[in-house]
Amino acid sequence: MEHNPLTVMYNEHDVIVKAENIIKSMENTWEDTPETYAEKVKLLIEFFREYADGYHHRKEEDVLFPAVHNHPDFVLQEIIEEFNTHHEDFREYAAEIIEAVDEEDYVRSYKVLKQYIGDLLDHIAAENDELFVLAESLMDEQDLETIYFKFKDIDMELGEERKQEFEEMIGNWGEK
């Protein structure tokens, strides 16, 4: 299928997952270079807020979740509520991490950052293994194509160039 919205979701998940190794590589770096650590954390939170939450979660919350939820054959309403709750939790993690960095409590910021990425990876696995598979089985090709173009509208509204910048930033992180 040429315009499969779930391919978009999987690809965005692949980009987000790359943050795990970046976070691992930052452990204890605040001891020698606290300013550099703080800058990197702020860049990561910008990525999570704009890319993961802005581009990706918005597609889910505004388009995919309602399409699945409103499908006549869908019966697991609580799964959508759970994923929405996760998204709220991720927003709270981001705020707590920035607060800790601003207070120069780098140990706490890193602890929360690790908790955030761990929960995010679990969330991504659940969406990949459950929600996306379910959505693909529920929707016909026309439904999926409609969702795909709604996703494209969100990318255009938020800025396709900005999305590409984030993907390149995360992909090239170790080369800095």
Side-chain angles (χ1 to χ4, degrees), residues 27 56 76 79 84 96 102 106 110 118 122 132 137 151 158:
E27 187 167 15
H56 185 78
L76 301 170
I79 195 172
N84 274 318
E96 186 177 349
D102 288 345
Y106 301 131
Y110 189 73
D122 290 345
F132 297 166
S137 71
F151 285 179
L158 296 175

Side-chain angles (χ1 to χ4, degrees), residues 147-176:
I147 292 168
Y148 174 87
F149 286 109
K150 288 180 179 180
F151 285 179
K152 292 305 263 180
D153 289 344
I154 289 171
D155 284 350
M156 287 192 305
E157 177 187 329
L158 296 175
E160 291 177 312
E161 303 81 21
R162 181 74 172 149
K163 181 181 178 188
Q164 184 67 37
E165 288 171 13
F166 278 119
E167 290 171 351
E168 290 172 7
M169 177 187 85
I170 291 297
N172 300 327
W173 188 280
E175 298 172 17
K176 290 182 182 182

